[in-house]
Amino acid sequence: VAIMRYKIVEKTTDQIVENSNKYIGLLRQHIDKEDNILYMMANQNLSEEAQEKLLEDFEKVEVERIGVGTREKFHKLLHHLKDVYLN
């Protein structure tokens, strides 16, 4: 019974790792498209006024919904996790 459980756990762990790696690849592709295609297109096609309005709206969402400083906290957390797991 213990061996069967071990094999099930091992297989499940392997599947989690495999699926996580696939998800990481998908996210990297998505972020690359945003950074190198979408944002460039938006920058070329949106007027300066429209871009300023977007920035104002993003700041409004931060104040009203997620709280002032939350974005910075997430950035710090991201850099910390990067230092811990990628360095």
Side-chain angles (χ1 to χ4, degrees):
V1 173
I3 292 173
M4 293 295 288
R5 285 184 183 164
Y6 174 78
K7 287 181 180 182
I8 291 170
V9 169
E10 183 179 24
K11 182 177 179 184
T12 302
T13 303
D14 290 345
Q15 289 173 339
I16 291 170
V17 169
E18 181 182 347
N19 289 338
S20 296
N21 285 328
K22 287 179 181 178
Y23 184 62
I24 289 168
L26 180 67
L27 285 178
R28 285 185 174 151
Q29 290 175 0
H30 177 82
I31 291 167
D32 183 63
K33 288 177 185 175
E34 284 182 336
D35 290 347
N36 296 307
I37 298 171
L38 180 64
Y39 296 145
M40 294 174 82
M41 287 174 54
N43 197 38
Q44 291 173 350
N45 292 295
L46 292 175
S47 67
E48 188 173 326
E49 294 80 20
Q51 290 184 34
E52 288 174 9
K53 174 74 169 114
L54 277 172
L55 180 59
E56 289 173 11
D57 290 345
F58 285 133
E59 289 173 352
K60 183 178 178 182
V61 167
E62 182 176 7
V63 169
E64 294 177 358
R65 295 199 181 166
I66 66 171
V68 175
T70 301
R71 186 172 33 134
E72 287 81 9
K73 288 178 189 175
F74 284 133
H75 283 191
K76 285 182 184 178
L77 175 60
L78 178 64
H79 290 291
H80 172 73
L81 293 172
K82 178 184 172 197
D83 290 342
V84 169
Y85 293 106
L86 298 179
N87 289 334

